[in-house]
Amino acid sequence: MFKEFLNYYDRVFDQNGNIKPCGRFACQKLIELSDKIEPGLVHGDIKTGMMKVKKIKDLYIRTLNIK
């Protein structure tokens, strides 16, 4: 699951942490994976694809430290 999260993170964010024009599905999937990795935390709205960017970026940093 961590590898899939990292793959979707790279689809959604560029190297500088800016959001790419990746489409709603990629954002929805990234939110879904984030919620599975950290159950109980809300990383965005899966229906709309609106992300809580800081929470997802923080999870990304923690995930890199786990690897």
Side-chain angles (χ1 to χ4, degrees), residues 37-67:
I37 292 170
E38 292 186 313
L41 291 180
V42 177
H43 296 88
D45 185 332
I46 292 177
K47 285 184 181 179
T48 64
M50 294 296 294
M51 301 177 291
K52 293 189 176 184
V53 174
K54 180 165 178 13
K55 283 189 177 185
I56 293 175
K57 286 182 177 183
D58 289 346
L59 174 58
Y60 174 73
I61 291 167
R62 288 191 302 277
T63 301
L64 289 180
N65 290 333
I66 291 170
K67 279 181 66 180

Side-chain angles (χ1 to χ4, degrees), residues 27-44:
C27 294
Q28 290 169 316
K29 188 68 178 177
L30 183 59
I31 294 166
E32 178 187 335
L33 291 166
S34 299
D35 287 350
K36 285 182 181 178
I37 292 170
E38 292 186 313
L41 291 180
V42 177
H43 296 88

Side-chain angles (χ1 to χ4, degrees), residues 2-41:
F2 290 115
K3 184 175 180 173
E4 189 177 12
F5 167 78
L6 294 173
N7 287 336
Y8 273 97
Y9 186 92
D10 287 340
R11 282 189 189 183
V12 174
F13 295 99
D14 67 16
Q15 296 139 336
N16 298 318
N18 301 308
I19 299 171
K20 297 178 186 179
C22 57
R24 186 183 317 178
F25 175 78
C27 294
Q28 290 169 316
K29 188 68 178 177
L30 183 59
I31 294 166
E32 178 187 335
L33 291 166
S34 299
D35 287 350
K36 285 182 181 178
I37 292 170
E38 292 186 313
L41 291 180

